[in-house]
Amino acid sequence: MRDDELLTVAEVMARLKVGRSTVYDLIRTRRLPSVSIGRCRRIPASALGDFIAGQMERAA
């Protein structure tokens, strides 16, 4: 996964193994940063990596 890669909501769903509403909830609550391109929502791969790392730190 490249740091400058932009992921779709579906790709994030697959990587986190969660549903669409969960991903949009993470975006809405600003726990997962995203950008809007037209009507599309994209999540930077680096933001997803940071989110996962933060979750791992909390769990430890």
Side-chain angles (χ1 to χ4, degrees):
M1 166 170 59
R2 291 181 32 207
D3 285 342
D4 61 348
E5 182 180 14
L6 292 175
L7 304 172
T8 65
V9 169
E11 290 171 327
V12 173
M13 288 168 51
R15 291 182 188 197
L16 294 179
K17 299 192 180 8
V18 298
R20 180 176 301 275
S21 60
T22 301
V23 174
Y24 277 109
D25 187 53
L26 291 171
I27 292 169
R28 184 181 52 78
T29 58
R30 298 180 185 221
R31 291 169 52 201
L32 187 59
S34 68
V35 294
S36 235
I37 302 174
R39 293 178 56 203
C40 300
R41 194 49 84 169
R42 297 291 183 260
I43 298 90
S46 59
L48 180 59
D50 292 345
F51 172 77
I52 293 169
Q55 294 299 303
M56 295 301 289
E57 286 177 17
R58 277 195 199 144

